[in-house]
C-alpha cells in the first residue's frame, strides 16, 4: 500500500514538471500564454509606419540689387615694359640702379668705358675743322674765279660727310651712358660693374606699374554688352578677401574667326599692392537691377535646361519650376515661379523628391519652429 502511494506521488511530480515545460514552450512561441503586450501589437498589412522627415536648410526669397556681369580670369600685365639693351660695346664702369628701384625716362642706368669713343669724337672734330677752313678759303677763291665750281662742290660734299662722321662719333659716345627708355620700376638687372657688355645685349628690364591691364578673351555673344568705360571688379589669389576697382579700357572691334572671341582690356590703378603677373578673377558689370527678387544659387537644382527649386509648403518639399534672370555671385534672380518670402531649400536637396516630408533645421542641426510660414502675396 505504501509502495503504490509512493509510485503515484512520483507520477504526479513528473506530470507537473511536463506541464511546466509545456507552458514555457508555449510562452516562447507566442502561444496563448504569451505576454499581453505582444498580443496587443498589430502585425497585419494595415500597420504602416509614417516615413521620417528629411532634414533640410532653407532661405527665403528676398529682394536686393543684382548686376548682370561677365566673369573671366587673366593675369595682370604692365601697360608698358622695356628691355634695356646696350647700343655699344664696352666695360661697365658703374651700375647706377638696383632691382626694385623706381626710375624716370632718361635717367642714367649704366656707364660704360668711353675712352675709345671720346678719341673718335676728337678725331672727327679735327677733320671737320680742317675741312671747314678749306671750304672757307675755297669760297674766297671761287669769288676770284681761281677755283672751279666742281672743286668747290667736292669740298662741300667732303665737309658734309665730315659733319655726319662727327655726329655719329658723338652719338656713339652718348651710348656709353645707358638711360631708361621709359619711367617705371627696375624689374631685373643682368649686369654687374666690371662686366664687358656686347652691343645689343639686354642688361635690364623696366616695367611701368602705374597702370596694370588684364586682357580677357570674351565669347562673341557678349560683343553687344561689353563697352569701354564699364566698371570692373578684380580679385587676386595672392590677396584673398580684397577686391580692386577698375574700368574697361578698350574693346577690340574684331572677332577672332579661329576662337570666336574678341579682346577686352581692363585697366586698374597700379603702384600699390597689385603687381604684374598676379592671376586675377575679373567681373565686368554691364547692367543693374535695384529691386530684384532673388534666391541663393545654392537653392537651384542641377538642371540648367529646366531650372527649378524646392519650396517648403505645409512641411513638404514641392518642386517649383522657375524663370531665371541675372546670376550675381551667390544670388540668382527669379523672374517667375517663387513669391517673395517663400522658403526654398538650400541644403539637403539631393534626398528630396516632389512631396517629400521635410524637417527644417538650422546650420547647427537643430529644428526650426514655424520655418515654413506662408509667403507674401
Amino acid at each position: 500500500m505504501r509502495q503504490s502511494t509512493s509510485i503515484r506521488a512520483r507520477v504526479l511530480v513528473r506530470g507537473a514538471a511536463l506541464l511546466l515545460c509545456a507552458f514555457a514552450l508555449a510562452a516562447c512561441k507566442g502561444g496563448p500564454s504569451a505576454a499581453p503586450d505582444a498580443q496587443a501589437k498589430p502585425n497585419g498589412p494595415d500597420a504602416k509606419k509614417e516615413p521620417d522627415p528629411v532634414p533640410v536648410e532653407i532661405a527665403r526669397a528676398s529682394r536686393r540689387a543684382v548686376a548682370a556681369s561677365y566673369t573671366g580670369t587673366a593675369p595682370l600685365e604692365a601697360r608698358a615694359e622695356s628691355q634695356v639693351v646696350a647700343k655699344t660695346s664696352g666695360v661697365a664702369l658703374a651700375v647706377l640702379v638696383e632691382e626694385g628701384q623706381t626710375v624716370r625716362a632718361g635717367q642714367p642706368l649704366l656707364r660704360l668705358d668711353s675712352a675709345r669713343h671720346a678719341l673718335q669724337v676728337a678725331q672727327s672734330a679735327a677733320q671737320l675743322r680742317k675741312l671747314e677752313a678749306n671750304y672757307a678759303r675755297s669760297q674766297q677763291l671761287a669769288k676770284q674765279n681761281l677755283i672751279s665750281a666742281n672743286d668747290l662742290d667736292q669740298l662741300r660734299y667732303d665737309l658734309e660727310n665730315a659733319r655726319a662722321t662727327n655726329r655719329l662719333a658723338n652719338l656713339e659716345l652718348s651710348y656709353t651712358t645707358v638711360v631708361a627708355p621709359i619711367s617705371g620700376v627696375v624689374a631685373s638687372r643682368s649686369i654687374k660693374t666690371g662686366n664687358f657688355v656686347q652691343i645689343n645685349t639686354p642688361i635690364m628690364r623696366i616695367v611701368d606699374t602705374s597702370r596694370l591691364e588684364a586682357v580677357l578673351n570674351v565669347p562673341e555673344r557678349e560683343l553687344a554688352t561689353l563697352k569701354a568705360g564699364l566698371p570692373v571688379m578684380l580679385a587676386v589669389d595672392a590677396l584673398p578677401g580684397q577686391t580692386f576697382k577698375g574700368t574697361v579700357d578698350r574693346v577690340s572691334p574684331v572677332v577672332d574667326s579661329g576662337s570666336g572671341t574678341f579682346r577686352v582690356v581692363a585697366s586698374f590703378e597700379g603702384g600699390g599692392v597689385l603687381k604684374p603677373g598676379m592671376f586675377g578673377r575679373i567681373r565686368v558689370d554691364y547692367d543693374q537691377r535695384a529691386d530684384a527678387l532673388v534666391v541663393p544659387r545654392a537653392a537651384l537644382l542641377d538642371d540648367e535646361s529646366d531650372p527649378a527649386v524646392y519650396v517648403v509648403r505645409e512641411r513638404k518639399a514641392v518642386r517649383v519650376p522657375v524663370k531665371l534672370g541675372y546670376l550675381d555671385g551667390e544670388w540668382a534672380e527669379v523672374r517667375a515661379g517663387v513669391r517673395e518670402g517663400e522658403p526654398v531649400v538650400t541644403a539637403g536637396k539631393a534626398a528630396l523628391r516632389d512631396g517629400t516630408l521635410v524637417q527644417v533645421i538650422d546650420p547647427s542641426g537643430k529644428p526650426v519652429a514655424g520655418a515654413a510660414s506662408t509667403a507674401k502675396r
Side-chain angles (χ1 to χ4, degrees):
M1 189 71 177
R2 289 179 180 175
Q3 185 177 1
S4 61
T5 302
S6 176
I7 291 172
R8 283 198 299 272
R10 284 198 297 272
V11 170
L12 289 174
V13 171
R14 290 177 181 174
L18 291 172
L19 185 60
L20 289 174
C21 289
F23 277 116
L25 289 173
C28 292
K29 294 180 180 179
S33 59
D37 292 342
Q39 294 180 354
K41 292 182 179 179
N43 199 22
D46 296 334
K48 294 182 179 179
K49 183 180 179 182
E50 183 179 353
D52 294 331
V54 176
V56 297
E57 295 180 18
I58 64 167
R60 294 189 179 277
S62 59
R63 294 193 174 274
R64 58 174 290 137
V66 295
S69 60
Y70 174 82
T71 58
T73 58
L76 292 176
E77 302 174 0
R79 169 166 287 187
E81 180 175 334
S82 175
Q83 284 282 358
V84 182
V85 300
K87 296 181 180 180
T88 188
S89 301
V91 176
L93 299 181
V95 180
L96 306 177
V97 294
E98 300 290 341
E99 289 185 4
Q101 183 175 337
T102 301
V103 297
R104 65 183 184 278
Q107 178 179 335
L109 305 176
L110 175 69
R111 297 192 189 280
L112 301 176
D113 182 12
S114 62
R116 179 171 58 87
H117 298 288
L119 289 175
Q120 290 175 345
V121 170
Q123 184 180 22
S124 63
Q127 182 67 18
L128 176 61
R129 288 193 297 271
K130 176 184 175 181
L131 290 174
E132 285 176 341
N134 290 340
Y135 183 67
R137 286 193 294 269
S138 297
Q139 285 180 316
Q140 295 297 328
L141 294 174
K143 291 179 181 179
Q144 301 173 11
N145 295 323
L146 298 176
I147 188 173
S148 67
N150 183 59
D151 290 340
L152 184 62
D153 289 342
Q154 184 63 48
L155 285 172
R156 186 172 68 250
Y157 297 149
D158 291 343
L159 178 59
E160 291 176 356
N161 184 61
R163 285 173 177 167
T165 301
N166 180 253
R167 287 195 296 268
L168 180 60
N170 279 283
L171 182 62
E172 289 290 334
L173 179 62
S174 70
Y175 287 162
T176 60
T177 299
V178 181
V179 299
I182 62 172
S183 299
V185 177
V186 179
S188 63
R189 194 192 75 179
S190 57
I191 192 68
K192 296 181 180 179
T193 301
N195 291 162
F196 182 79
V197 180
Q198 294 283 0
I199 187 171
N200 294 328
T201 301
I203 54 178
M204 294 183 190
R205 185 167 66 95
I206 298 175
V207 294
D208 179 7
T209 58
S210 60
R211 297 291 294 177
L212 299 176
E213 295 181 343
V215 180
L216 296 170
N217 293 312
V218 182
E220 59 180 309
R221 64 175 178 271
E222 304 290 349
L223 186 60
T225 58
L226 299 186
K227 305 293 182 182
L230 289 175
V232 179
M233 297 300 295
L234 168 71
V236 293
D237 294 343
L239 303 169
Q242 299 186 48
T243 56
F244 304 89
K245 295 181 179 180
T247 57
V248 174
D249 189 69
R250 53 195 185 274
V251 177
S252 173
V254 179
V255 177
D256 183 83
S257 59
S259 62
T261 62
F262 64 99
R263 288 163 53 92
V264 175
V265 181
S267 177
F268 303 90
E269 189 71 29
V273 294
L274 291 178
K275 305 295 181 185
M278 286 183 171
F279 188 79
R281 305 179 188 280
I282 299 165
R283 189 184 76 184
V284 183
D285 294 336
Y286 56 83
D287 193 12
Q288 296 277 343
R289 286 181 180 156
D291 189 34
L293 181 64
V294 298
V295 297
R297 291 183 71 169
L300 299 178
L301 303 183
D302 298 330
D303 189 354
E304 296 182 358
S305 60
D306 186 20
V309 296
Y310 279 119
V311 178
V312 178
R313 295 172 181 168
E314 298 179 357
R315 298 185 60 203
K316 291 183 179 181
V318 180
R319 189 180 189 278
V320 178
V322 294
K323 180 181 178 182
L324 296 180
Y326 293 152
L327 299 178
D328 184 4
E330 62 180 5
W331 300 101
E333 181 189 14
V334 178
R335 307 300 299 274
V338 175
R339 298 190 301 273
E340 182 180 357
E342 278 195 304
V344 295
V345 177
T346 57
K349 307 189 300 292
L352 299 181
R353 297 294 182 271
D354 193 13
T356 301
L357 188 67
V358 297
Q359 169 64 62
V360 179
I361 61 173
D362 60 19
S364 65
K366 296 180 180 179
V368 178
S373 58
T374 57
K376 295 181 181 179
R377 296 184 181 274

